[in-house]
Every structure is written in C-alpha cells, then in structure tokens.
Amino acid sequence: MKKILGQSETAREMRRMLRSAEPGGTYLIGGEPGTGKGFLAGLIASKISKEDAERNIVRVKKIEDFRKKGVVYITENRTLFDIRTAKFTSALWLAPLRERKADLSELIEYFIQESGIESSRWYKKETAKLLFSYWWPFNIQELKRVVGTEDGYKLLPYSNIGEILSNYSATEIIRLKIGNLFSDLGKESNAGKIYQPFLDSVDAIFIESSLQHCNGSVSKTAEFLSIHRNTLTQKIKKLKIKNNVKNS
C-alpha cells in the first residue's frame, strides 16, 4: 500500500504530514502497535532522503534514542511522545482503528483486493456488520489478517468484547475468575484479545478515583500519578472519563 487510505481525521493528518515533509526535517510518529506508524514513516523517509529509507527510521523506547537528525522517529510510548513533540518539525499521534471507523471501508476493500482470495463473505450484510462492530485490539495489521487471509474470519468471535466488558466495573472484573470470563467469550477465547480492554477498564477506575482525590484538577492528578498532563488528558478522552470540574 503506497497510498494513505481513509477519511478519518487521523488519515487526513497523515496525508498532511506526508505532503509537508521536506529533506532536513525531523518527524515523530506515535501510536499503538498496528496503527500504521511504520507505513507512514516509510513514506516520509522515502520522500525526504535519497538513501535507504529504512536507515532513516528510528524506533524509540527511551529518551536517549532521540539522537539522529533528519530522520523519522517512531514510538508507542505516549509519555515520550508528549515530552518530545515540540522538538520536531512535525509530530503526529495515530488514533487506534477502533476510533477510526471512517477508514474501515477503504481499508477492507484494499486488503480484500490485495489478497486475491475469495471475498464474497465480506460483502454480506451480517459479516460487514461484524467487521464494523469489532474492537480491533491489534488495529490495521489485525484487519489485514482478518480480511486478507483464507482463515482470517476465524479471528472474529470477539466482536462484542467491548459490550461484554462494559457491563462490569473494574473491581467486579478483578473479582471474577479469569477462566469464567473466558467461558463467556467462547471456547476460542485468547487472553491477548481481552488484555487491553481489561487494562483500560482498570485504568479508567483508577484515574476516576485519582481525579476525585484531587478535586477534579487534571494538573494535580497528573502530578499525583507521576505522569505528563497531556498523557492524562489523552487518557481521560480515550477512556471517556467524566470530569465536571472546569479549568482544571
């Protein structure tokens, strides 16, 4: 895929970032695994350098990794991303696929056509609904595996996982036996499929309690939790945490 597909805000920002990329610039791309960081980095690196594109892509795990000039940096660490954003010519955090449903149609069509496999199943109303209601914990790479391989459809018994987990508070989920939760999800359940939603549920309760403890102040809560304020703000938005205190 050499073209950035989709109509979401993230897809539009990716295209803008690529169009504005110039030799000598330094670029930072962040996001969860499978969101397209490497793909975008490759396009930018090819545009800004005549050298081997891969040599101009740096995967960042710690602050010391930010050393080279005129390259594209990739990170999955939101804190590192927030700390270093201002140092770059351009920086972009890619939203996960579950928040980019406007991109699904174009991506599904592309991966189906690219695979060359029998694809009639994906054009049926019931299976299309399944694709659009799925949690997509492994983002675009998972979508490609699902619609672009012969047995990919077998990876979709978890389309209602978000709804299943939303029926339990974090405390209740922790009290449940993991084995019982797996039984609810089906015989083919895989711990990897519920890992992130489980952590998100616990994270939301923890942040809500911390906000209450700090009287709703985001700044004080960030300090209380020892995380960057921007990171906390993003978590509050992502996890849909209500905070009625204004100017916090």
Side-chain angles (χ1 to χ4, degrees), residues 6-12 14 30-32 34-35 78 93-104 107 131-140 143 196 200 233-241:
Q7 301 303 318
S8 70
E9 181 59 28
T10 289
R12 292 195 292 269
M14 290 171 72
E32 294 179 7
T35 50
R78 186 61 199 244
W93 184 268
L94 306 185
L97 186 58
R98 60 184 171 273
E99 297 175 11
R100 295 163 53 185
K101 294 300 178 72
D103 296 344
L104 275 172
L107 288 169
L131 290 174
F132 278 83
S133 64
Y134 185 46
W135 179 248
W136 298 114
F138 301 109
N139 294 297
I140 296 173
L143 175 65
Q196 192 58 53
D200 284 347
T233 299
Q234 289 295 324
K235 282 179 173 287
I236 291 172
K237 182 178 179 180
K238 172 187 174 183
L239 300 173
K240 299 180 181 179
I241 297 171

Side-chain angles (χ1 to χ4, degrees), residues 133 159 198 228 235 237 242:
S133 64
S159 61
F198 182 89
H228 196 277
K235 282 179 173 287
K237 182 178 179 180
K242 293 182 179 181

Side-chain angles (χ1 to χ4, degrees), residues 98 133-137 157-168 173 185 193-194 197-198 201:
R98 60 184 171 273
S133 64
Y134 185 46
W135 179 248
W136 298 114
Y158 312 99
S159 61
N160 295 318
I161 189 166
E163 295 178 17
I164 292 172
L165 293 182
S166 69
N167 291 326
Y168 302 90
I173 292 177
L185 294 173
K193 296 292 183 180
I194 69 166
F198 182 89
S201 180

Side-chain angles (χ1 to χ4, degrees), residues 16 35 65 83 96 124 132 167 175 200 203 218 230 238-239 241:
R16 279 194 283 267
T35 50
D65 293 333
I83 290 174
K124 296 178 181 177
F132 278 83
N167 291 326
R175 288 175 179 169
D200 284 347
D203 206 14
V218 175
N230 289 346
K238 172 187 174 183
L239 300 173
I241 297 171

